[in-house]
Amino acid sequence: MLDAPATKERAARQPSATVDEDRETLLELFHQMVLIRRFEEKCAESYSLGKIGGFCHLYIGQEAVGVGSISAIREDDYVITSYREHGQAITKGISPEAVMAELYGKAGGCSGGKGGSMHLFDKTVNFLGGHAIVGGQIPLATGVAFASKYQETDKVTLCFFGEAAVNQGAFHESLNMAQLWKLPCIYICENNQYGMGTSLARAMSLQNIAEKACAYEMASEFVDGMDVMAMRQATQRAVKRARETSQPTLLEARTYRYMGHSMSDPGNYRTRAEIEKYQERDPIKIFTATLKEQNILSDKDISDIEAEVKEQIERAVRFAEESPEPDPSELYTNVYANPLS
């Protein structure tokens, strides 16, 4: 686990990582993380009110991973992930309105109201879905990267998954094929240290996930997933490798989720003290301090961004509530390639 010295190291390292970035980029990273945090808080509220049904997995605490890594790719690159994907979907370009409407099960949602929280999808921004089967998206990402290479493009694929997926056979089969065939895929393990209610220490013999790439002679890197700049720069290195040499990379982003596995999880397997320990290293708090120290972000900027984000969230909720229910005929669409007559 990341300890206090790691926090001090990040505080010293993050300012130097911002030197080569323009102010607009840094403020956009900050805006995206705040947007995701407030969006997820509103999701929790709406779920508690019964406006969102089914399963709902929140990204609170992990914002730096999705924002930092997706900021390092192009619009035409691909992202595929698991069911904790609201933040990644928004960062890749799906509007908060379309995401919130999907959570509400409305026709205006990005999946027509039929996917819900766990199955966001939008091919127009190359966001290839949240996938509910643990590790199920990993071979799919490998196939997408194979297609990019076969078509002789320089597109890369980011594949997000939790550490529990590493114990699935599909993870190992995919890494083996990706390295063997030299596929431009970047596998990002969001290691939030708990697979549902089971700690990493109880489920995995080798807990340094980045080291597992050695079995396939694949490039790998351990990244502080609470540091948005560390995530951005590590992904930039992996993207460069993928575009220039068509080589895959495994990134282990050590992070932490502040909420339970899902909204139905009381989280009794963790102590309040443990959660508070990681909240001291909140990725938004750390980045805020860095930007203020460098006179990039003022108190007024923070107030303005918070106000803008609040308006975005309110607009998303209004859109979701006003969007119609899916037509009953939609029950039969997109089920078969050749619809039944």
Side-chain angles (χ1 to χ4, degrees):
M1 291 187 175
L2 296 169
D3 53 18
T7 304
K8 294 177 181 178
E9 180 185 340
R10 178 170 63 250
R13 180 182 63 238
Q14 196 174 70
S16 64
T18 65
V19 171
D20 296 328
E21 300 287 354
D22 59 83
R23 182 174 184 270
E24 183 180 350
T25 297
L26 294 170
L27 290 181
E28 180 58 23
L29 294 173
F30 178 77
H31 177 273
Q32 286 289 333
M33 286 202 292
V34 173
L35 174 59
I36 293 170
R37 177 68 59 88
R38 302 294 174 251
F39 185 93
E40 296 290 64
E41 289 170 349
K42 178 57 72 171
C43 288
E45 177 185 321
S46 298
Y47 188 94
S48 299
L49 293 172
K51 296 181 178 181
I52 295 175
F55 290 101
C56 185
H57 305 81
L58 302 182
Y59 205 55
I60 295 174
Q62 299 181 214
E63 296 91 350
V65 182
V67 171
S69 54
I70 294 175
S71 74
I73 63 175
R74 298 191 314 231
E75 289 185 3
D76 63 338
D77 290 326
Y78 298 100
V79 169
I80 187 168
T81 183
S82 67
Y83 44 75
R84 196 182 305 280
E85 86 275 41
H86 308 160
Q88 294 155 344
I90 290 171
T91 304
K92 189 62 175 76
I94 304 180
S95 70
E97 290 90 339
V99 175
M100 188 65 79
E102 188 59 40
L103 270 61
Y104 272 57
K106 296 296 190 69
C110 57
S111 299
K114 298 193 293 182
S117 169
M118 301 173 76
H119 300 291
L120 305 176
F121 182 94
D122 190 341
K123 68 178 181 181
T124 65
V125 296
N126 284 352
F127 186 82
L128 302 184
H131 295 260
I133 297 175
V134 175
Q137 73 277 22
I138 301 176
L140 296 178
T142 307
V144 172
F146 178 87
S148 295
K149 183 173 183 178
Y150 184 79
Q151 294 170 348
E152 298 183 346
T153 73
D154 67 344
K155 296 179 183 179
V156 304
T157 298
L158 296 191
C159 177
F160 295 92
F161 50 92
E163 79 286 346
V166 172
N167 291 331
Q168 299 291 327
F171 167 83
H172 301 277
E173 294 165 347
S174 296
L175 265 64
N176 180 60
M177 287 189 287
Q179 183 63 27
L180 186 64
W181 295 340
K182 304 296 184 286
L183 304 181
C185 193
I186 300 167
Y187 301 94
I188 302 178
C189 176
E190 296 193 81
N191 184 358
N192 63 27
Q193 305 172 59
Y194 286 93
M196 296 186 72
T198 303
S199 69
L200 177 68
R202 293 176 56 209
M204 197 175 296
S205 57
L206 175 60
Q207 295 165 31
N208 294 320
I209 292 166
E211 293 182 10
K212 296 179 187 289
C214 297
Y216 309 103
E217 296 189 347
M218 180 183 292
S220 66
E221 191 170 341
F222 174 89
V223 192
D224 182 352
M226 306 297 268
D227 183 342
V228 67
M229 295 307 299
M231 282 305 311
R232 176 173 166 83
Q233 293 184 337
T235 308
Q236 285 174 331
R237 290 188 287 272
V239 167
K240 186 174 188 293
R241 183 180 299 114
R243 292 206 207 283
E244 295 181 359
T245 65
S246 193
Q247 294 274 355
T249 302
L250 172 63
L251 299 180
E252 177 189 354
R254 191 68 65 91
T255 183
Y256 196 83
R257 56 171 165 82
Y258 298 151
M259 306 293 284
H261 171 71
S262 69
M263 283 297 296
S264 60
D265 173 19
N268 295 331
Y269 46 86
R270 301 187 295 182
T271 64
R272 185 70 241 171
E274 178 183 314
I275 297 172
E276 290 174 352
K277 171 186 172 184
Y278 280 93
Q279 286 175 331
E280 293 175 3
R281 304 156 199 175
D282 187 296
I284 296 177
K285 183 169 73 173
I286 292 291
F287 197 47
T288 300
T290 294
L291 296 183
K292 289 184 73 173
E293 287 169 9
Q294 296 187 298
N295 296 317
I296 294 170
L297 186 70
S298 66
D299 289 336
K300 183 179 184 304
D301 292 328
I302 295 173
S303 297
D304 290 345
I305 289 171
E306 286 282 5
E308 181 183 349
V309 165
K310 181 180 179 182
E311 184 179 335
Q312 286 181 279
I313 302 302
E314 290 175 350
R315 191 163 58 241
V317 171
R318 264 195 320 272
F319 178 82
E321 292 181 343
E322 294 172 1
S323 185
E325 300 284 344
D327 189 274
S329 65
E330 285 295 309
L331 184 65
Y332 303 102
T333 61
N334 303 315
V335 177
Y336 297 102
N338 297 309
L340 298 176
S341 57

